[in-house]
């Protein structure tokens, strides 16, 4: 049996990659194998991470600070959409940054208090 033949491999053999599409996961039959259940849970968790939406102006916080090539260290950013691209602006210095695989990383949206203008009629 060859390990390079994908027809002879199964999810019970402990796959490491957890990037299976949801359409394939939905086709799988029920199982009791520990490896298969763990792999399916990791795939679903990755799909949930990628499905998160960011709007222009959202403020996000990473679990730990990131050091960039210019020496800046930051943990909180403002999302700026430029077409389909996402760039992150550091609210402290105003510089723009990109973080690879942002949607697969752990981050939370920080609620921002918005003060609306008062209008008197």
């Amino acid at each position: 049996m060859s390990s390079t033949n994908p027809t002879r491999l199964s999810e019970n053999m402990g796959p490491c990659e957890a990037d299976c599409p949801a359409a394939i996961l939905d086709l799988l039959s029920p199982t009791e194998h520990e490896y298969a259940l763990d792999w399916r849970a990791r795939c679903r968790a990755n799909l949930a991470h990628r499905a998160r939406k960011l709007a222009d102006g959202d403020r996000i916080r990473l679990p730990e600070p990131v050091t960039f090539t210019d020496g800046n260290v930051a943990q909180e950013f403002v999302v700026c959409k430029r077409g389909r691209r996402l760039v992150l602006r550091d609210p402290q210095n105003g510089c723009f940054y990109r973080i690879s695989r942002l949607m697969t990383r752990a981050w939370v949206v920080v609620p921002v208090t918005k003060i609306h203008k008062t209008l008197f009629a």
Side-chain angles (χ1 to χ4, degrees):
M1 191 183 303
S2 171
S3 64
T4 59
N5 187 346
T7 59
R8 296 187 183 185
L9 294 175
S10 72
E11 63 179 337
N12 301 331
M13 296 177 181
C16 295
E17 296 295 321
D19 293 327
C20 185
I24 301 297
L25 289 173
D26 294 340
L27 295 174
L28 298 175
S29 58
T31 184
E32 295 297 321
H33 294 293
E34 181 182 339
Y35 283 132
L37 293 172
D38 178 55
W39 176 74
R40 291 178 187 191
R42 287 186 292 126
C43 288
R44 295 283 181 193
N46 284 339
L47 289 169
H49 265 113
R50 287 192 200 115
R52 299 177 293 179
K53 301 292 183 201
L54 284 174
D56 191 41
D58 281 350
R59 186 179 286 251
I60 63 170
R61 180 180 297 129
L62 299 170
E64 58 221 21
V66 177
T67 304
F68 295 96
T69 55
D70 65 352
N72 186 35
V73 178
Q75 186 173 5
E76 200 166 296
F77 301 92
V78 176
V79 175
C80 299
K81 286 196 172 185
R82 293 184 176 167
R84 293 183 60 195
R85 290 182 54 192
L86 280 179
V87 288
L88 303 174
R89 183 176 54 81
D90 184 351
Q92 302 297 322
N93 64 10
C95 293
F96 291 96
Y97 297 98
R98 291 193 49 156
I99 297 177
S100 61
R101 296 181 306 248
L102 177 66
M103 298 311 285
T104 60
R105 294 176 182 257
W107 47 260
V108 294
V109 176
V110 178
V112 178
T113 304
K114 294 184 179 179
I115 300 172
H116 297 283
K117 205 185 249 189
T118 305
L119 298 176
F120 295 101

